[in-house]
């Protein structure tokens, strides 16, 4: 990862809680790598979780044995106890004039989504359909509707990658958290609610 | 004849008890029950409940945003909250650490307290207390009532001990979706129901629930359970508050808070 000082990074994270082997397989699939190359990506970094190491190694093996070598530099790690913020900033090309800003591909965990929105790095959200209570799909859809993220599907990550540049241009001008508009312009926020409940007079 | 008389008496007593209980519930649950009024500078006590993972992250993110808001009308002065109590689950050291870091960044030291020695008078504005988990992550469902009951008892002890200390009961309980938060809110209801140490008459233990930002169209289980009993029910997506009929009327959308 030290070689990330120039180029364009695709950072993939499956989160800390549940495994998401389908996403690891999809981003290391022989069909997806050429799509990354076509969009000038040079680095692929995969956070594969504590159960994902074997799968990750197997996928790498297949890539090495394939007929067509990839130009991407691929690296991975289980989990970073210090959190993902530094990885997201690196992907964004923060404080590095040589790098082009990259993309994050993530499971639909709200924490990761928020972190990406705050530093406005483009994000492809791929909900983990193997989880039971899948309210994460709703969040991904709602944010994609507001054009903050790309809602990716495992079967068509290459298609999602094609939409990223559009989103990148849009979120440059958008800020997070969004400024409340219209009816909620006068919204008092959490402070207002706490003040009222505390019964403060002024 | 005698038996019939006894049966009538028992039934009457039961009916009276049930209607009194229902009336009592109605009284303590009414969001319009009188609020205490305070001047700025009067001592207040906020209780914050942290859960695992995403819940803790959302709670701290929400609080950070509120205390560092550039708009003075939206900015909460943390030190105007005389006392803060944080409740975390046992073994969730990560949440406890994050609370300590949060307090430290605002310039406060934190006391870590055990439930049994909580009567000691407060030394510092902030304290952290743990309660047993309502449910372990992979715990079988049949044993959940037992662990929830343990959590409920511990929560009652924590709240009553607060009242016994100089801090007094929390004036406001702020929570989001973890199971522990649901239990602590029910503990607060129990204390208000029986007016233990003036929990109801002094207008203490008002409850504020903020639904997770990750809930767009449907409430979480905690949200469903708490919607009818909390004083304020805040959602973060307008879809959840639309169509102001019935219960939904109480849902407030104030924009994204995390």
């Amino acid at each position: 990862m030290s070689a990330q000082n120039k180029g364009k990074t695709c950072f993939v994270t499956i989160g800390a809680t549940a495994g998401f082997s389908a996403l690891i397989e999809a981003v290391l699939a022989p069909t997806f790598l050429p799509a990354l190359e076509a969009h000038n990506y040079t680095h692929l970094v995969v956070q594969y979780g504590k159960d994902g190491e074997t799968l990750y190694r197997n996928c790498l093996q297949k890539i090495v044995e394939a007929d067509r070598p990839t130009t991407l530099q691929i690296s991975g790690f289980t989990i970073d106890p210090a959190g993902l913020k530094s990885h997201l900033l690196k992907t964004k090309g923060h404080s590095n004039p040589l790098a082009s800003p990259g993309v994050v591909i993530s499971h639909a965990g709200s924490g990761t989504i928020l972190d990406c929105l705050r530093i406005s790095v483009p994000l492809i959200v791929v909900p983990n359909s193997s989880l039971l209570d899948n309210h994460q799909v709703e969040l991904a859809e709602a944010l994609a509707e507001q054009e903050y993220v790309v809602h990716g599907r495992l079967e068509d990550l290459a298609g999602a990658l094609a939409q990223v540049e559009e989103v990148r241009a849009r979120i440059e001008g958008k800020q997070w958290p969004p400024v409340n508009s219209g009816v909620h312009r006068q919204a008092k926020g959490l402070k207002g609610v706490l003040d009222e409940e505390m019964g403060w007079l002024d | 004849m005698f038996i019939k008389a006894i049966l009538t008496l028992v039934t009457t007593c039961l009916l009276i008890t049930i209607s009194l209980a229902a009336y009592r519930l109605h009284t303590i649950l009414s969001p319009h029950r009188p609020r205490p009024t305070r001047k700025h500078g009067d001592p207040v006590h906020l209780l914050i409940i942290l859960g695992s993972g995403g819940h803790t992250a959302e709670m701290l993110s929400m609080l950070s945003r509120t205390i560092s808001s550039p708009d003075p009308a939206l900015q909460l002065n943390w030190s105007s909250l005389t006392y803060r109590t944080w409740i975390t689950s046992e073994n969730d050291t990560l949440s406890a650490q994050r609370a300590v870091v949060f307090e430290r960044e605002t310039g406060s030291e934190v006391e870590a307290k055990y439930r049994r020695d909580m009567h000691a008078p407060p030394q510092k504005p902030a304290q952290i207390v743990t309660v047993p988990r309502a449910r372990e992550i992979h715990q079988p469902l049949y044993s959940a009532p037992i662990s929830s009951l343990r959590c409920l008892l511990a929560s009652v002890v924590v709240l009553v001990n607060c009242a016994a200390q100089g801090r007094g009961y929390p004036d406001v309980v702020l929570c989001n979706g973890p199971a522990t938060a649901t239990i602590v809110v029910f503990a607060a209801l129990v204390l208000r129901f029986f007016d233990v140490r003036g929990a109801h008459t002094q207008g203490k233990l008002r409850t504020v629930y903020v639904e997770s930002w990750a809930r767009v169209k449907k409430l979480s289980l905690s949200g469903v359970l708490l919607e009818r009993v909390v004083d304020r029910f805040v959602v973060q997506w307008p879809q959840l508050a639309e169509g102001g009929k019935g219960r939904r009327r109480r849902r407030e959308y104030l924009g994204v808070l995390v």
Side-chain angles (χ1 to χ4, degrees), chain B residues 34 62 96 100 143 149 187 194:
Chain B
M62 206 152 64
V100 171
S143 64
L149 198 65
F194 295 107

Side-chain angles (χ1 to χ4, degrees), chain A residues 40-122:
Chain A
N40 304 322
Y41 287 89
T42 55
H43 294 76
L44 174 61
V45 184
V46 185
Q47 182 264 316
Y48 45 72
K50 49 183 188 296
D51 304 326
E53 181 140 19
T54 322
L55 178 64
Y56 170 76
R57 299 252 167 258
N58 290 345
C59 290
L60 276 196
Q61 194 58 37
K62 269 183 218 153
I63 293 168
V64 173
E65 287 164 4
D67 310 333
R68 196 185 143 279
T70 177
T71 58
L72 287 159
Q73 294 191 28
I74 305 176
S75 57
F77 61 98
T78 48
I79 226 164
D80 188 341
L84 291 179
K85 218 156 261 177
S86 64
H87 300 276
L88 300 178
L89 284 172
K90 226 184 251 176
T91 306
K92 162 112 175 152
H94 182 73
S95 70
N96 183 357
L98 290 174
S100 322
V103 69
V104 177
I105 301 180
S106 158
H107 75 123
S110 57
T112 314
I113 299 181
L114 266 180
D115 284 341
C116 289
L117 289 174
R118 287 205 185 100
I119 64 171
S120 61
V121 60

